[in-house]
């Protein structure tokens, strides 16, 4: 009997030990438990990991009780196996509030905000167009309040959504295509939405340029080619003077609406953006947006010089697809790519060479060149500035400054001349108009590429200042280049589930003086 009790005690001890090991492995990372020395933290600040193990997180929000929520996108440019979800974050753990994929939401889900006891998200509708839905706080009800953004079926979905200081809700809409011409780089998206094309907020008059491109739809006829113009579906030609009607659901824009009557109040705030990921308002009410510049891909590749952050003016046109991220005309030869990367251009069937130039007849369209003074910061090319926020007054010398996560490059698919950039948080003083590194890794690479997965910044996507005044960073997680995915009708990127994180950056003392 004694031997049996001893065996039982030993078994009980081993079981308890096993449970403790499991619990310890699930415990959230705390300062001192995880070596974060691979991150170069600014003097006077400390960083800690709030939670890890997330699947493609994109945005965070807080309710009126200061509870934190994060949305998992459910995929990158297209859906992936892990579902889109809204999770509540509490003491380093997460709890699923609603499985969005199971409720019919089509990924990716990029934007998340909280307003009037409800969540609002950006996603795709069942027909693949961009959409916005409202979700009850407990996840029991979901209502689609906007849909029909055709550009949202492309590689640039609907992005951030946020309430503005004027009581209207604002939404960033990406454009279909790299530079308003649908090419082979959009093959996975055209396969799902054959009539996919770029749309415009304003009525446009075209110059009638068409780009000769291999017809990826006919895989068995390798030499087959088609002519595709701007603002039209793949394999559709345009003519000089052709008019493109504007829409109230345009790509490359920021729109606003009353969330109580979204469809009935939808208006374009500003347009002509290459791809706005996110935006924020300064203390003086000024609006700022982070924009991704062109890629060297597709039928009309552009060797841009920068990505950019803009100050937004209501009703303004920011020049895309005929001006660079720095708002310079694409007629400048410095934006040209190698001839072997550019499609032959035709007008009315007559070859025009391979010069980049304009697509739009600006005078006939009533457009003037964008105001260069609206650029408040120029980021390195391909850094992919994403969802920014403005520092609160409690941040001393940084009060009112714009903090922007740089998600990082996707080269070589976006540019054969590989340059590794991004993976950090930068700051802009709107008065100085300079992009300054703020929080970055000691080595300028994602953590996973330096043997520091989960212990360094990977791909920061969203910056938000929380109710406690700290900076919270949504880190999307690992993305690898995988050209083989194109053989199965996918984009050439591989997303690694379970590698997303949320970081918290706090002040250790009052920050004063200049930087």
């Amino acid at each position: 009997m004694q031997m049996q009790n001893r065996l039982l005690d030993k078994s009980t001890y081993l079981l308890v030990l096993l449970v403790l090991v499991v619990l310890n492995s699930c415990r959230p990372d705390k300062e001192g438990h995880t070596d974060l020395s691979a991150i170069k933290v600014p003097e006077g600040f400390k960083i800690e990991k709030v939670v890890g193990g997330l699947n493609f997180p994109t945005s965070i929000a807080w309710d009126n009780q200061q509870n934190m929520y994060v949305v998992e996108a459910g995929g990158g440019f297209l859906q992936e196996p892990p579902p889109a979800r809204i999770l509540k974050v509490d003491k380093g753990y997460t709890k699923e509030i609603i499985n969005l994929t199971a409720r019919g939401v089509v990924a990716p889900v990029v934007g998340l905000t909280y307003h009037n006891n409800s969540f609002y998200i950006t996603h795709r509708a069942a027909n693949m167009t961009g959409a916005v839905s409202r979700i009850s706080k407990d996840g029991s009800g979901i209502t689609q309040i906007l849909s029909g953004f055709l550009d949202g079926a492309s590689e640039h979905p609907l992005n951030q959504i946020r309430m503005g200081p004027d009581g209207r809700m604002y939404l960033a809409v990406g454009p279909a295509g790299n530079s308003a011409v649908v090419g082979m780089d959009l093959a996975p998206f055209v396969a799902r939405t054959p009539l996919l094309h770029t749309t415009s907020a304003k009525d446009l008059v075209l110059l009638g340029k068409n780009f000769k491109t291999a017809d990826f739809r006919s895989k068995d006829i390798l030499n087959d080619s088609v002519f595709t113009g701007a603002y039209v579906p793949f394999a559709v030609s345009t003519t000089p003077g052709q008019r493109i009607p504007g829409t109230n659901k345009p790509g490359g824009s920021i729109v606003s609406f009353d969330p109580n009557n979204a469809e009935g109040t939808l208006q374009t705030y500003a347009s002509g953006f290459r791809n706005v990921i996110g935006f924020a308002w300064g203390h003086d009410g000024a609006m700022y947006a982070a924009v991704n510049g062109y890629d060297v891909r597709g039928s009309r590749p552009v060797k841009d010089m920068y990505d950019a952050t803009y100050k937004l003016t209501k009703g303004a046109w920011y020049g895309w697809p005929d001006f660079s991220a720095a708002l310079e005309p694409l007629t400048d030869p410095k934006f040209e790519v190698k001839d072997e990367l550019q499609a032959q251009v035709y007008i009315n069937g007559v070859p025009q060479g391979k010069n980049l130039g304009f697509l739009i007849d600006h005078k006939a369209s009533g457009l003037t060149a964008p105001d260069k003074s609206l650029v408040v910061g120029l980021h390195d090319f391909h850094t992919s500035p994403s969802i920014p926020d403005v520092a609160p007054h409690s941040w001393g010398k940084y009060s009112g400054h714009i903090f922007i996560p740089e998600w990082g490059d996707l080269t070589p698919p976006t540019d054969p001349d590989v340059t590794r950039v991004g993976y950090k948080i930068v700051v802009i003083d709107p008065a100085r108009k300079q992009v300054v590194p703020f929080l970055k890794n000691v080595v300028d690479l994602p953590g996973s590429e330096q043997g520091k997965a989960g212990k360094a910044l990977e791909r920061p996507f969203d910056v938000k200042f929380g109710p406690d005044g700290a900076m919270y960073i949504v880190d999307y997680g690992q993305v690898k280049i995988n050209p083989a995915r194109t053989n199965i009708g996918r984009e050439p990127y591989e997303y690694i589930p379970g590698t997303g994180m949320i970081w918290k950056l706090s002040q250790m003392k009052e920050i004063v003086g200049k930087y």
Side-chain angles (χ1 to χ4, degrees):
M1 188 63 155
Q2 269 189 330
M3 180 62 69
Q4 187 177 4
N5 286 337
R6 285 177 185 171
L7 289 173
L8 181 61
D9 289 343
K10 187 176 181 180
S11 299
T12 303
Y13 170 77
L14 290 173
L15 179 61
V16 171
L17 181 62
L18 179 61
V19 170
L20 288 174
V21 169
V22 172
L23 287 175
N24 188 62
S25 69
C26 296
R27 191 169 295 164
D29 294 304
K30 294 293 183 182
E31 185 181 11
H33 288 246
T34 301
D35 178 12
L36 300 180
S37 59
I39 304 175
K40 187 176 181 180
V41 181
E43 183 179 356
F45 291 87
K46 65 175 181 179
I47 193 167
E48 55 192 305
K49 188 190 295 185
V50 176
V51 68
L54 301 176
N55 299 318
F56 327 131
T58 48
S59 298
I60 53 175
W62 287 265
D63 64 18
N64 296 337
Q65 288 73 48
Q66 301 186 6
N67 298 305
M68 181 195 295
Y69 301 86
V70 62
V71 66
E72 294 181 327
F77 297 106
L78 293 168
Q79 305 98 302
E80 297 286 341
R85 304 186 299 169
I86 295 177
L87 308 175
K88 183 178 181 180
V89 182
D90 185 25
K91 297 178 182 178
Y93 297 96
T94 60
K95 176 184 177 181
E96 181 179 299
I97 300 300
I98 183 170
N99 185 316
L100 297 167
T101 300
R103 298 295 296 274
V105 170
V106 181
V109 178
V110 179
L112 171 72
T113 196
Y114 184 85
H115 172 68
N116 240 4
N117 297 315
S118 296
F119 298 106
Y120 289 80
I121 61 168
T122 63
H123 62 97
R124 289 192 179 117
N127 64 359
M128 297 298 287
T129 64
V132 173
S133 287
R134 179 172 52 235
I135 304 166
S136 58
K137 185 177 179 180
D138 63 2
S140 61
I142 179 168
T143 304
Q144 187 171 286
I145 62 171
L146 276 177
S147 65
F149 290 86
L150 179 60
D151 296 74
S154 75
E155 83 280 37
H156 296 145
L158 300 192
N159 292 311
Q160 187 187 20
I161 188 167
R162 195 170 190 175
M163 283 299 297
D166 57 356
R168 290 176 66 84
M169 192 164 280
Y170 287 75
L171 168 67
V173 185
N178 175 45
S179 56
V181 178
V182 178
M184 290 184 66
D185 53 323
L186 265 64
F189 307 94
V190 173
R192 291 161 175 77
T193 311
L195 296 181
L196 177 65
H197 62 273
T198 312
T199 61
S200 171
K202 304 173 183 288
D203 290 353
L204 299 178
V205 178
L206 300 180
L207 294 174
K209 291 184 177 180
N210 299 293
F211 298 78
K212 185 179 181 180
T213 307
D215 191 348
F216 53 80
R217 301 169 303 175
S218 51
K219 296 181 181 179
D220 298 330
I221 309 175
L222 300 181
N223 295 324
D224 199 9
S225 61
V226 294
F227 296 93
T228 303
Y231 292 93
V232 292
F234 185 71
V236 175
S237 297
T238 61
T239 56
Q242 181 173 335
R243 291 187 172 272
I244 300 295
T247 173
N248 70 337
K249 296 179 180 178
S253 69
I254 291 179
V255 300
S256 72
F257 57 91
D258 179 347
N260 297 314
N261 179 19
E263 290 284 1
T265 61
L266 187 65
Q267 298 176 349
T268 300
Y269 184 80
S271 62
F273 302 109
R274 166 51 175 68
N275 190 27
V276 173
I277 304 294
F279 49 86
W281 286 268
H283 297 170
D284 60 354
M287 190 178 182
Y288 302 96
V291 181
N292 289 191
Y294 298 84
D295 293 331
V296 182
R297 64 174 170 91
S299 297
R300 187 173 178 256
V302 180
K303 186 68 175 179
D304 211 335
M305 302 286 111
Y306 303 99
D307 290 348
T309 293
Y310 299 144
K311 182 176 181 178
L312 300 192
T313 299
K314 186 175 182 179
W317 178 67
Y318 284 75
W320 184 86
D322 282 349
F323 289 79
S324 72
L327 306 186
E328 297 178 308
L330 294 189
T331 49
D332 191 319
K334 69 182 179 181
F335 298 115
E336 296 282 352
V337 301
K338 302 171 185 177
D339 276 356
E340 58 264 31
L341 299 176
Q342 174 68 286
Q344 177 72 50
V345 180
Y346 290 77
I347 296 178
N348 285 335
V350 179
Q352 306 293 313
K354 293 189 175 183
N355 294 325
L356 185 59
F358 290 156
L359 295 174
I360 302 168
D361 183 332
H362 298 162
K363 183 177 180 180
S365 302
L367 297 174
T368 56
D371 181 357
K372 290 184 180 180
S373 71
L374 296 175
V375 177
V376 295
L378 293 174
H379 306 252
D380 288 341
F381 189 30
H382 293 315
T383 50
S384 305
S386 299
I387 301 178
D389 206 2
V390 173
H393 293 293
S394 61
W395 271 52
K397 69 180 183 181
Y398 293 108
S399 172
H401 292 187
I402 312 162
F403 285 84
I404 308 159
E406 292 184 342
W407 191 78
D409 67 273
L410 282 175
T411 55
T414 58
D415 191 339
D417 296 327
V418 179
T419 302
R420 306 307 309 281
V421 289
Y423 332 115
K424 61 181 178 289
I425 309 300
V426 298
V427 60
I428 299 174
D429 176 354
R432 296 171 62 185
K433 296 188 174 183
Q434 293 180 350
V435 174
V436 179
F438 178 73
L439 178 70
K440 56 181 290 188
N441 293 334
V442 175
V443 177
D444 291 331
L445 286 171
S448 64
E449 295 184 29
Q450 49 177 302
K452 299 288 184 180
K455 299 180 181 180
L457 299 176
E458 192 68 30
R459 286 188 177 271
F461 188 76
D462 182 20
V463 162
K464 288 287 191 312
F465 288 92
D468 58 356
M471 176 193 290
Y472 290 85
I473 302 162
V474 177
D475 195 324
Y476 187 86
Q478 298 177 31
V479 180
K480 299 181 179 181
I481 305 302
N482 183 0
R485 299 235 308 176
T486 59
N487 297 328
I488 58 172
R490 296 293 308 226
E491 68 279 33
Y493 314 115
E494 184 176 353
Y495 311 92
I496 312 303
T499 59
M501 300 162 279
I502 298 176
W503 304 95
K504 178 182 179 181
L505 187 73
S506 308
Q507 298 183 67
M508 296 177 65
K509 59 183 179 181
E510 184 180 0
I511 305 300
V512 297
K514 296 181 178 180
Y515 65 92

